[in-house]
Amino acid sequence: MNSPTPTFAPMPDAQGFFGPYGGQFIPPALKQAMDEIDRAYEDIRQREDFQQELAELFADYVGRPSPIFHAKRLSAQLGGAQIHLKREDLNHTGAHKINHCLGEALLARFMGKKKVIAETGAGQHGVALATACAMVGIPCEIHMGQVDVEKEHPNVTKMRILGCKLVPVTRGAATLKEAVDSAFEEYLKNPQDYLYAIGSVVGPHPFPKMVRDFQAIIGREARAQFLAKHGRLPDFVTACVGGGSNAIGMFTAFLDDADVQLVGVEPAGEGLDKPGRHSATLTRGHPGQIHGMACYVLEEAEGVPAAVHSIASGLDYPGVGPQHSYLKDIGRVQYQTASDEEALQAFMTLSRVEGIIPALESAHAVAWAMRSAATLPADRHILVNLSGRGDKDADYVADKLGL
C-alpha cells in the first residue's frame, strides 16, 4: 500500500486556499457538488483497497516507476551542467496525465457517477482520461478547442478510438480556455450524475489539491531514484508550467529541500512584449480569478481573461494553479520562460542528439535546461520533468519546419 501523499503543509487549508490563492469562487449549487467531491476524495484516499488498486495500476498499467535518463550526449554538447530527464513520456498514453486520470476515474466509480466530463488542450489529458474511463467502464465526454482539434489530430483519433464523445469548441479563440468553459457548462447540467475531471491543478477546490496528490508520485519517485543513483539530490529541478500539474507533481517532493532550486518554465510564445502572443501568466499576470479559483491571471484592462498563445497547446491558458501562485509569492519556485522558437529548437535538438522526441510542452523545460546548463560547471545537475512525448506534435513541427 502507498501511504497518503505528503504535502507542503498546510497547503491547502480546509477551504482550499494556498495563502490567498485557490478557494471556491462558484455558485452555491456548484459548491455543494465540489464539497461532495472533496468528502469522497478524502474518504477514498485513506482506504487501503483504493491505494492498493491505484498502486497496482501505476505499476502494471502505466508502467511506473518511470526511469531517469542521463542525457550524456546533450550535456557534453552543451559543455556545462549534466541534464537528466524524468521520463514521463514513457508512461502509458505518453504523458504524466494518466497519473491523475486513473485517480479521477476510480473516484468517479467510487461515487457512482454516470459520466465523466473534461477539457483538453494538447489532447494528452483527453487521451489519458478516455483510456482510464474505458478501463473502469464509465462514459467519457471531452471538450476540445477546434484549433487544437486540428493541430493535435493524432490525439483526437486516439480519443475517438477509445470511445469517448469528443465535443469540438468553436467559440472565441477555440483553444483551451474555451474548452474549459464549454466543459463546465455541460457539467453544470447535472453535477449529481457527472464528474468533471479537471486536467490540471486548477479550478475550484478540491481539484488543485486532488490532482497534485495524484501527480506527486513523479517527484517521490524522482527524488528517491536520483538519491539512490548519485548519492545526492539534483541542484535544479525544472518542469513546464501551463496549468501546472506536471510541475507541481515533480516539485512537491523537493519543497523541503532548500538546496534544490525549483524552476517552472512558462511559454513566452512570440515574445513577452506582445500581449496576446504569450501565456506567461506568472511572469506577466496579476492576482485575479478564473474558473472558480483565485490565482495569477493574464487579463485585459476590463478584467476579462486575455488572449494567450503558445506553440504548445497544453500551455495556452490565461490562469495557473493556485499553489504555483503561492510558491511564486513566497519565492520557493522561480518561474522563467522559454519562447516558441526556443521550444522548437529544444524539440529538434533532443530528438537528434538523444533520440527522444519530447512534447512541445516539455520542450519548454528542456529549452531552459539547455540554456542554463551551458552557464554552469559540469558537476552541477539539472533534473527535467520530461512530461510527455512528441508523437502528437511530430506532424505539426514537420510542417512548420518544412521537414
Side-chain angles (χ1 to χ4, degrees):
M1 170 185 167
N2 285 354
S3 59
T5 304
T7 59
F8 194 56
M11 298 174 72
D13 64 18
Q15 287 71 47
F17 282 95
F18 303 84
Y21 305 106
Q24 295 176 326
F25 296 90
I26 49 181
L30 186 55
K31 175 175 172 49
Q32 183 178 353
M34 292 296 106
D35 289 345
E36 178 196 11
I37 293 170
D38 188 32
R39 287 191 297 270
Y41 170 65
E42 289 299 330
D43 180 5
I44 198 173
R45 74 191 293 263
Q46 303 298 330
R47 289 175 44 164
E48 185 171 354
D49 58 344
F50 170 77
Q51 292 290 347
Q52 184 63 38
E53 183 175 9
L54 187 59
E56 290 174 358
L57 288 171
F58 278 159
D60 301 332
Y61 193 69
V62 179
R64 305 205 70 89
S66 62
I68 290 179
F69 173 72
H70 182 188
K72 294 179 181 178
R73 278 174 42 80
L74 179 62
S75 302
Q77 179 175 299
L78 295 168
Q82 304 304 302
I83 295 177
H84 308 261
L85 308 175
K86 176 63 169 166
R87 297 292 307 277
E88 291 296 289
D89 60 308
L90 296 179
N91 292 343
H92 180 40
T93 73
H96 69 292
K97 296 289 187 181
I98 191 66
N99 299 328
H100 72 258
C101 286
L102 282 174
E104 289 177 327
L106 292 176
L107 177 64
R109 186 185 68 187
F110 172 79
M111 297 180 72
K113 298 297 185 180
K114 297 178 181 178
K115 183 166 73 171
V116 176
I117 298 170
E119 84 296 332
T120 194
Q124 286 301 139
H125 174 60
V127 170
L129 191 63
T131 298
C133 286
M135 189 199 66
V136 302
I138 296 177
C140 177
E141 178 174 313
I142 304 294
H143 294 238
M144 188 175 190
Q146 183 63 39
V147 169
D148 296 330
V149 169
E150 295 169 5
K151 184 177 176 183
E152 306 291 359
H153 182 71
N155 277 344
V156 171
T157 301
K158 290 177 186 176
M159 284 184 273
R160 288 177 169 148
I161 289 172
L162 288 161
C164 88
K165 177 183 178 182
L166 183 71
V167 180
V169 181
T170 58
R171 71 180 72 170
T175 55
L176 183 56
K177 176 192 172 296
E178 289 74 26
V180 174
D181 293 340
S182 178
F184 251 119
E185 290 167 11
E186 178 64 22
Y187 170 67
L188 286 172
K189 293 177 182 178
N190 190 357
Q192 287 73 37
D193 291 333
Y194 301 164
L195 177 72
Y196 184 16
I198 293 177
S200 191
V201 286
V202 298
H205 176 67
F207 282 96
K209 169 186 71 175
M210 188 167 72
V211 173
R212 174 203 62 194
D213 290 353
F214 290 134
Q215 289 294 347
I217 191 171
I218 303 172
R220 292 201 303 274
E221 285 180 1
R223 191 180 187 282
Q225 289 168 318
F226 204 94
L227 196 57
K229 188 168 186 177
H230 300 282
R232 51 161 294 176
L233 295 176
D235 299 287
F236 300 88
V237 173
T238 187
C240 66
V241 177
S245 60
N246 92 92
I248 211 68
M250 178 63 113
F251 294 163
T252 295
F254 296 94
L255 287 173
D256 290 320
D257 298 309
D259 292 338
V260 178
Q261 297 186 51
L262 306 177
V263 181
V265 186
E266 296 191 296
E270 296 172 2
L272 295 176
D273 59 341
K274 298 179 180 179
R277 303 309 300 165
H278 66 79
S279 301
T281 306
L282 290 161
T283 305
R284 283 289 187 266
H286 303 280
Q289 292 180 18
I290 188 173
H291 292 140
M293 63 176 170
C295 64
Y296 274 75
V297 184
L298 287 167
E299 294 180 320
E300 304 288 0
E302 57 272 24
V304 300
V308 291
H309 160 81
S310 171
I311 196 171
S313 296
L315 301 182
D316 57 355
Y317 181 59
V320 68
Q323 187 168 1
H324 284 292
S325 301
Y326 179 68
L327 292 171
K328 169 186 167 66
D329 281 2
I330 66 173
R332 180 61 190 96
V333 180
Q334 302 300 312
Y335 293 91
Q336 306 291 329
T337 64
S339 68
D340 285 354
E341 183 178 350
E342 289 175 306
L344 272 174
Q345 181 183 357
F347 180 101
M348 293 303 300
T349 300
L350 188 62
S351 298
R352 293 185 171 180
V353 174
E354 296 287 3
I356 298 172
I357 303 175
L360 280 171
E361 291 79 11
S362 314
H364 285 73
V366 175
W368 180 87
M370 289 171 55
R371 189 171 72 211
S372 302
T375 70
L376 296 166
D379 62 350
R380 305 296 293 278
H381 296 267
I382 300 173
L383 177 58
V384 180
N385 189 15
L386 197 72
S387 55
R389 62 175 175 250
D391 302 29
K392 65 184 180 60
D393 300 312
D395 289 344
Y396 172 79
V397 171
D399 289 345
K400 190 170 184 66
L401 298 180
L403 301 178

